[in-house]
Amino acid sequence: MSLMIRGATVVTHEESYSADVLCVDGRIQAIGQNLDVPAGCEILDGSGQYLMPGGIDPHTHMQLPFMGTVASDDFFTGTAAGLAGGTTSIIDFVIPNPQQSLLEAFHSWRGWAEKSASDYGFHVAITWWSEQVAEEMGELVAKHGVNSFKHFMAYKNAIMAADDTLVASFERCLQLGAVPTVHAENGELVYHLQQKLLAQGMTGPEAHPLSRPPQVEGEAASRAIRIAETLGTPVYLVHVSTREALDEITYARAKGQPVYGEVLPGHLLIDDSVYRHPDWSTAAGYVMSPPFRPREHQEALWRGLQSGNLHTTATDHCCFCADQKGAGRNDFSRIPNGTAGIEDRMAVLWDAGVNSGRLSMHEFVALTSTNTAKIFNLFPRKGAIRVGADADLVLWDPQGTRTISAKTHHQRVDFNIFEGRTVRGIPSHTISQGRLVWADGDLRAEAGAGRYLERPAYPSVFEVLSRRAEHQRPTPVER
Ligand code: URP
Ligand code: ZN
Ligand code: ZN
C-alpha cells in the first residue's frame, strides 16, 4: 500500500520545505524532490497546501461512563470525527471506580476501544489508593504501555484524589518513570460552593461557573505543582483555563521545574457569558469543568502558548446530548460535565491562532501534535515527518473554509460549542497509517483500523530529573 503526496510544503514543529513524501505500508518511506513513483502508488496533489504531522489529542473521553450516563461519542464515531478534523491519534482515559482494579478497568477500556478508527493510547486515572493500586500501576507501565497517570482533584464523592493519594501516586510515578497528570480544581471548595448556591436557589447552568471560580483552579494547580516539586516528579496539568493556574505554571517553570500545561480551544475563545443564555439547553450545552471563563483569562492563555509555558492543545472531548444534559434541569451540579471538540480543535486553533498572527505554523504543529508526542514518549513515531515515522499526516488547505455546526459535524452529539463560527484553514485530506481516511469531505474511517499505542516509560524529562535527584541525594553526617 503506497501513497505519494506531491508538491506540498512540509511543515514540522521546526522547519518548512517543499518536498514529495512517500508513504509505504503505514510508514513514511522517503522525503525528497521529484521522488520516483512506485508501481501502483496513489498520488495526492498537495500543491498550495501544507503537509503536517497528524494531530494528537492528548485528552479525550470516548463513551465515558460519567455522572449517571455515558458519553455519546464512542471510540469509532469519536475517532472518525477526529480524522475529519485532522487528528490521527488520541490519548483517552481509563477511569476505574474507587476500589476497582486498575487492570480490570484497563481491559474494559481496551475492549471498548477496539473499534477505534485512529490510533489510541490511555492515561489511567488513580481514583483510590492501596498497595494493589501501586502494584497495578507497575504492571500497567511494564506490560501495557501506560506512561501517565491522571489525578482528578475535583469530583468529590466520586473520583476525586485527595492529597494522600496524590502524594503516594506521584511518588510511585517517579519510581516507574511515568508522568503524573492532574485535573486541577479544589474539589472540596467546588462541593461547598455547589451546596451553597443550591441553597440560595441558584439551580441553573449560570451557577456552574460560580461554583468553580478561577482561584479554585489556581489553588489546586499550585498544590499539584508543589507536590511534584517536593517529590521531584514532572507534572502535566490538563485543561488549564485560568490566569491563576497559568501563573503557577509560569512561576514553577521559571524556577526550572518541569511542569507542562494543556489548553483547550474552547477556553481560548469562549467566555462565561454562555452560561447566562436564556435557553436552558443552550446554557447547559456549555457545561464542562473547568468552565469557560471571563475574557481576561483567554488573553492570558494565548500568552501562555506564545511564551512556551503552555505546551499542548486538547479537546477533553466528552459529548453529552441535550437529553443527557437534562438530568440537571433542576440542579446544575447534576448536568453531565463535558463538551465536544475533536473535529474542530485544529481548524479553530489555526484560524484563531495562525491567521491572527498569534502563532507561527511551527508552533501550531508543536501545539497540536509534536509536544504531546514528546511529553508522552510517542516521538518520533508520532508528531514528526521523517523517514520511519508513522504515516499519520494532514494536508492543510490554508484557504479552505468551514462553518462549524452540529448539523454538519461528524461528532455524535447535537450541540457544538463553536456553532456558527467560520474558520479559514481546514484539513483537505487526512492520512492515517498511510491510508487516505478523509478526502475533501469524504470520510473513509474504518472501525477497528486504529491500533493501541504502547508508550514506553521514562520520557526524556526523567533523564534530567534523575541527574538532579542524584545531585541532591541527602547525605548523613558521619559522627
Ligand atoms: O467537564 C469535563 N471536563 N468532563 C470530562 C471529565 C473531566 O473533567 O475531564
Ligand atoms: Zn478534567
Ligand atoms: Zn477530561
Side-chain angles (χ1 to χ4, degrees):
M1 189 177 68
S2 58
L3 172 73
M4 169 127 29
I5 304 103
R6 286 225 108 131
T9 301
V10 173
V11 180
T12 72
H13 67 289
E14 56 190 2
E15 56 184 341
S16 42
Y17 52 90
S18 174
D20 300 337
V21 174
L22 175 64
C23 311
V24 177
D25 294 337
R27 298 261 175 92
I28 296 174
Q29 192 180 78
I31 305 171
Q33 302 288 337
N34 303 315
L35 293 179
D36 289 337
V37 182
C41 179
E42 190 176 355
I43 295 188
L44 176 61
D45 177 17
S47 51
Q49 301 194 55
Y50 300 121
L51 188 66
M52 302 187 284
I56 308 172
D57 188 336
H59 188 159
T60 65
H61 301 282
M62 305 306 173
Q63 64 192 82
L64 174 69
F66 192 53
M67 295 183 73
T69 183
V70 177
S72 58
D73 244 338
D74 66 25
F75 277 92
F76 172 63
T77 58
T79 52
L83 293 173
T87 289
T88 50
S89 301
I90 61 167
I91 312 180
D92 204 273
F93 292 83
V94 173
I95 307 184
N97 292 318
Q99 311 305 318
Q100 188 187 10
S101 150
L102 271 57
L103 288 168
E104 181 187 84
F106 176 78
H107 290 301
S108 297
W109 258 266
R110 284 289 306 266
W112 299 338
E114 271 174 15
K115 56 178 174 279
S116 290
S118 73
D119 289 354
Y120 58 94
F122 287 113
H123 313 277
V124 176
I126 302 302
T127 55
W128 61 296
W129 192 254
S130 73
E131 267 312 304
Q132 182 193 337
V133 170
E135 270 169 37
E136 291 190 339
M137 286 172 76
E139 196 168 332
L140 286 165
V141 172
K143 296 195 187 148
H144 298 286
V146 172
N147 72 11
S148 48
F149 293 94
K150 167 79 172 286
H151 308 81
F152 290 92
M153 298 172 79
Y155 306 122
K156 181 178 158 75
N157 297 331
I159 53 176
M160 183 171 99
D163 282 4
D164 53 351
T165 298
L166 294 178
V167 171
S169 176
F170 280 33
E171 186 71 52
R172 184 69 175 136
C173 284
L174 185 64
Q175 290 166 357
L176 297 170
V179 179
T181 79
V182 292
H183 167 138
E185 285 185 303
N186 182 316
E188 292 294 342
L189 279 171
V190 171
Y191 183 77
H192 176 79
L193 292 175
Q194 284 175 335
Q195 306 315 308
K196 195 167 162 177
L197 285 155
L198 288 168
Q200 290 168 343
M202 292 287 293
T203 58
E206 62 278 13
H208 177 67
L210 304 178
S211 70
R212 316 180 93 99
Q215 61 274 23
V216 160
E217 184 178 332
E219 185 281 329
S222 166
R223 187 156 34 100
I225 290 170
R226 295 306 172 93
I227 292 171
E229 179 186 19
T230 306
L231 300 178
T233 71
V235 65
Y236 177 98
L237 282 77
V238 306
H239 50 44
V240 175
S241 74
T242 59
R243 188 170 55 193
E244 284 79 353
L246 174 60
D247 284 349
E248 298 294 340
I249 295 172
T250 306
Y251 178 65
R253 289 183 62 82
K255 291 196 300 170
Q257 197 185 333
V259 180
Y260 306 111
E262 167 193 285
V263 70
L264 316 184
H267 285 135
L268 290 166
L269 294 169
I270 295 167
D271 70 65
D272 59 346
S273 62
V274 292
Y275 298 113
R276 300 195 70 81
H277 196 285
D279 175 58
W280 189 93
S281 285
T282 304
Y286 290 96
V287 167
M288 68 155 302
S289 296
F292 299 111
R293 304 294 190 182
R295 279 184 194 283
E296 76 220 47
H297 296 276
Q298 295 162 22
E299 266 321 301
L301 294 178
W302 281 113
R303 283 196 294 280
L305 290 174
Q306 291 166 329
S307 63
N309 287 306
L310 294 172
H311 306 85
T312 64
T313 54
T315 57
D316 198 359
H317 185 82
C318 189
C319 304
F320 297 108
C321 293
D323 60 331
Q324 295 174 289
K325 294 269 181 184
R329 189 160 274 280
N330 301 314
D331 175 351
F332 74 90
S333 71
R334 293 182 187 276
I335 300 170
N337 284 203
T339 54
I342 193 166
E343 190 168 349
D344 306 318
R345 175 182 67 128
M346 296 182 74
V348 166
L349 191 75
W350 181 279
D351 185 57
V354 178
N355 289 345
S356 68
R358 285 173 167 131
L359 300 174
S360 72
M361 292 193 294
H362 307 294
E363 287 166 329
F364 173 83
V365 172
L367 291 167
T368 53
S369 182
T370 311
N371 289 352
T372 290
K374 288 184 176 176
I375 293 167
F376 295 112
N377 226 2
L378 287 167
F379 187 83
R381 176 180 173 191
K382 304 286 187 190
I385 299 186
R386 53 168 88 167
V387 171
D390 280 0
D392 282 2
L393 302 161
V394 58
L395 188 61
W396 199 262
D397 176 359
Q399 299 308 332
T401 60
R402 178 166 87 95
T403 299
I404 298 172
S405 173
K407 292 194 179 67
T408 50
H409 70 198
H410 297 82
Q411 301 168 143
R412 193 160 69 185
V413 64
D414 54 8
F415 191 80
N416 193 308
I417 58 171
F418 300 113
E419 185 73 33
R421 181 180 288 268
T422 298
V423 288
R424 183 164 53 83
I426 55 170
S428 69
H429 295 77
T430 306
I431 296 140
S432 170
Q433 300 176 46
R435 209 168 63 81
L436 264 177
V437 288
W438 169 252
D440 276 329
D442 178 17
L443 183 56
R444 305 174 190 171
E446 200 184 290
R451 301 162 301 182
Y452 175 65
L453 294 171
E454 301 234 3
R455 296 177 298 120
Y458 293 100
S460 61
V461 65
F462 279 91
E463 193 194 318
V464 178
L465 287 171
S466 70
R467 267 188 273 125
R468 234 180 247 184
E470 189 56 39
H471 201 65
Q472 292 162 359
R473 184 190 288 276
T475 51
V477 175
E478 299 295 338
R479 297 190 175 87

